[in-house]
């Protein structure tokens, strides 16, 4: 896993660290409400988020929506008023779940409803919500969720992109991952969180590792040269090139310095030439 120190740490030491951070108020709480708790739990035991939990920096509880039903059949959905196909998640279990969370875990700073009709979730949202101490995530299923949940229970409704998924569970995992990794200490290397491509507003530069030649394809010489200044410059320029070629929409909002703006004019000139040649 590449983090020998954390893996080798004794549970007792970790508990000490967790208590210290809890006292300093740096533990972030998440509560996720779903009809597929095992599916969500399975996505939270591995990797960066799993380690954030065992180290005590992330306090995540997954709640089974059916636990907040009151009928014999544990019904969470019903037919839509007005008729039509599909089923709608009933309001009572979702309101009941958030009330229970309030009583046992405290009043959350945000209640996010996962919805294909929500505003697109961005890196700026991840950074904003990581500053909150407690976020509740509600997962929809079926054709939709009773509108009173969006109006009177959720504080915001969010989508992860324009494609149709079967429910809010995968979006919930994506969002908890994006927020959780912004919590100080969750990602071992703070620098890598700050230098994240979306934080800089550009895509990442290309990466290479050994061998220096693979099936006839060579690694760019500058990376083997040992000239750290030239390597840094190459990476900034290649990050800009990748962004112009693949995500030109990002370039407009990226904070560029004078040198990067000069490169950009050159790269955009090349793109216009490419486009002309493409249409010939
Ligand atoms: C028939 C019209 N569909 C709307 C596009 C209904 C519908 C599709 C998918 C209702 C619910 C769902 C389940 N998806 C989510 O709950 C969901 C989601 C998604 O599908 N894409 C991107 N982000 C999200 S967040 C929640």
């Amino acid at each position: 896993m590449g983090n020998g120190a954390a893996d080798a740490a004794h549970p007792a030491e970790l508990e000490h660290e967790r208590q210290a951070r809890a006292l300093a108020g740096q533990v972030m709480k998440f509560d996720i409400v779903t009809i597929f708790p095992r599916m969500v739990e399975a996505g939270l035991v591995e990797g960066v988020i799993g380690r954030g939990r065992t180290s005590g920096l992330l306090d995540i509880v997954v709640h089974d929506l059916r636990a907040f039903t009151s009928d014999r059949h544990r019904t969470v959905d019903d037919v839509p008023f007005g008729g039509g196909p599909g089923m709608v998640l009933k309001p009572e279990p979702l309101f009941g779940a958030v009330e229970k969370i309030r009583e046992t875990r405290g009043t959350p700073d945000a209640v996010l409803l996962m919805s294909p009709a929500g505003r697109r979730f961005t890196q700026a949202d991840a950074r904003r919500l990581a500053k909150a101490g407690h976020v509740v995530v509600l997962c929809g299923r079926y054709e939709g969720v009773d509108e009173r949940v969006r109006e009177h229970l959720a504080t915001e409704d969010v989508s992860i992109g324009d494609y149709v998924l079967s429910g809010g569970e995968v979006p919930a995992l994506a969002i908890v991952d994006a927020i959780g990794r912004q919590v100080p200490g969750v990602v071992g290397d703070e620098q890598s969180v700050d230098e994240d491509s979306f934080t800089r507003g550009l895509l990442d530069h290309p990466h290479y590792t050994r061998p220096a030649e693979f099936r006839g394809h060579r690694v760019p010489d500058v990376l083997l040269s040992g000239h750290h200044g030239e390597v840094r410059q190459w990476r900034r320029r290649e990050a800009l090139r990748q962004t112009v070629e693949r995500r030109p929409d990002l370039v407009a909002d990226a904070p560029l310095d004078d040198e990067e703006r000069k490169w950009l004019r050159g790269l955009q000139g090349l793109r216009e030439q490419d486009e002309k040649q493409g249409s010939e």
Side-chain angles (χ1 to χ4, degrees):
M1 239 188 317
N3 68 329
D7 284 343
H10 191 275
E13 292 167 48
L14 284 180
E15 178 53 19
H16 209 99
E17 197 165 297
R18 192 198 67 74
Q19 281 175 351
R21 282 180 166 128
L23 286 168
Q26 292 166 332
V27 180
M28 175 145 188
K29 286 191 274 191
F30 291 93
D31 288 271
I32 307 169
V33 182
T34 170
I35 59 167
F36 293 125
R38 286 173 305 177
M39 173 181 172
V40 172
E41 189 59 51
L44 296 170
V45 290
E46 312 277 355
V48 166
I49 299 303
R51 204 155 53 239
R53 294 176 83 185
T54 55
S55 76
L57 288 169
L58 301 177
D59 172 5
I60 309 179
V61 180
V62 181
H63 304 267
D64 183 352
L65 184 63
R66 290 190 198 280
F68 303 95
T69 57
S70 44
D71 65 313
R72 230 166 46 82
H73 297 105
R74 308 219 295 165
T75 309
V76 293
D77 61 342
D78 204 343
V79 296
F81 272 123
M87 298 293 276
V88 176
L89 276 188
K90 293 164 64 63
E92 299 94 323
L94 286 164
F95 275 79
V98 173
E99 268 147 34
K100 177 73 178 296
I101 290 165
R102 258 185 233 290
E103 286 161 14
T104 58
R105 306 259 295 158
T107 298
D109 300 298
V111 178
L112 308 185
L113 175 64
M114 301 298 102
S115 163
R119 185 176 50 76
R120 178 85 61 89
F121 188 84
T122 66
Q123 186 66 14
D125 293 312
R127 289 159 66 91
R128 168 176 61 86
L129 289 165
K131 293 185 182 114
H134 186 188
V135 171
V136 171
V137 181
L138 308 177
C139 305
R141 274 269 154 180
Y142 309 110
E143 289 309 297
V145 178
D146 188 286
E147 185 68 4
R148 290 164 290 190
V149 170
R150 194 184 63 76
E151 285 180 338
H152 304 296
L153 189 62
T155 58
E156 37 195 308
D157 50 330
V158 295
S159 160
I160 62 165
D162 295 340
Y163 33 82
V164 180
L165 300 171
S166 310
E169 283 74 15
V170 165
L173 288 171
I175 280 166
V176 169
D177 191 293
I179 300 170
R181 59 180 283 110
Q182 296 293 324
V183 172
V186 169
V187 171
D189 183 359
E190 291 293 294
Q191 210 191 342
S192 78
V193 175
D194 287 343
E195 285 178 1
D196 256 330
S197 60
F198 284 112
T199 304
R200 273 214 62 211
L202 295 177
L203 300 183
D204 211 351
H205 57 76
H207 299 260
Y208 294 91
T209 186
R210 287 177 287 192
E213 182 172 337
F214 173 69
R215 299 188 179 178
H217 306 293
R218 289 197 44 80
V219 170
D221 282 332
V222 59
L223 298 180
L224 313 177
S225 68
H227 295 122
H228 300 299
E230 284 182 34
V231 169
R232 262 196 302 278
Q233 193 187 47
W234 181 88
R235 285 179 170 165
R236 282 170 56 225
R237 198 181 149 88
E238 290 303 312
L240 192 60
R241 186 201 305 282
Q242 297 277 348
T243 312
V244 168
E245 283 176 8
R246 298 154 76 151
R247 290 294 307 276
D249 59 303
L250 294 178
V251 176
D253 294 328
L256 303 180
D257 63 23
D258 287 350
E259 188 173 36
E260 286 166 334
R261 275 196 295 276
K262 191 188 77 191
W263 291 338
L264 180 61
R265 285 192 292 275
L267 290 167
Q268 285 174 334
L270 283 176
R271 272 200 95 220
E272 278 157 28
Q273 280 182 4
D274 282 354
E275 278 160 22
K276 253 193 276 165
Q277 274 174 351
S279 67
E280 271 170 12

